[in-house]
Amino acid sequence: MAGAQLSDISGIGPSAADVLRQGGFLTVEQVAGATVAALTALNGFGPVRASRTIAAAKAVLGGAKDAATLRGDAPSARKKTKSSKKDPKKTKKDKKAKKDDKKKKPAKKSAKKSKKKKSTKK
């Protein structure tokens, strides 16, 4: 995108744009071509933010299908995990029975007996 501003980069507001300019990054192209190490040298840019900023700058320039893919937000970029479906065999009745069992169990009491020492007076 011709004429893109630094503030067009996702996650870069006016303050961050000023920091980038002070660091010598005047255009979106310069940010897109930067290394993570170069951006982490700037105040407020850690390794994660630096890599996301570079990826977002490339997205602004059309170097990626969209910024979500580069950030890891796109469904294809996420790790696939097993679904956490509940066991269909368990019913509300089973859960209630388990809860009732807990109520029936007596609480364990401390088996400690206090022993008083006999004092001997002479």
Side-chain angles (χ1 to χ4, degrees):
M1 175 189 282
Q5 301 292 318
L6 290 176
S7 58
D8 293 337
I9 300 171
S10 176
I12 300 299
S15 297
D18 287 341
V19 171
L20 288 170
R21 282 188 208 98
Q22 290 172 0
F25 297 97
L26 305 176
T27 65
V28 175
E29 291 83 5
Q30 289 175 329
V31 175
T35 63
V36 172
L39 288 184
T40 55
L42 302 176
N43 188 23
F45 285 86
V48 173
R49 185 175 188 195
S51 63
R52 287 183 181 172
T53 300
I54 293 167
K58 289 178 181 178
V60 168
L61 296 175
K65 291 182 182 177
D66 63 14
T69 303
L70 293 169
R71 281 195 314 264
D73 294 344
S76 61
R78 289 189 205 131
K79 284 186 177 179
K80 293 181 181 179
T81 59
K82 293 181 182 178
S83 63
S84 59
K85 291 183 180 178
K86 293 182 180 179
D87 187 2
K89 295 177 185 176
K90 288 188 177 180
T91 63
K92 288 183 180 180
K93 191 175 184 180
D94 294 334
K95 291 178 183 177
K96 184 171 171 51
K98 187 175 180 179
K99 192 174 182 180
D100 289 341
D101 287 343
K102 286 183 180 178
K103 287 181 182 178
K104 289 179 184 177
K105 292 180 183 177
K108 292 183 180 180
K109 293 185 178 179
S110 177
K112 293 181 182 178
K113 293 183 181 179
S114 62
K115 294 182 181 180
K116 293 184 180 179
K117 290 186 178 182
K118 295 181 182 179
S119 62
T120 54
K121 291 186 180 180
K122 291 185 182 181

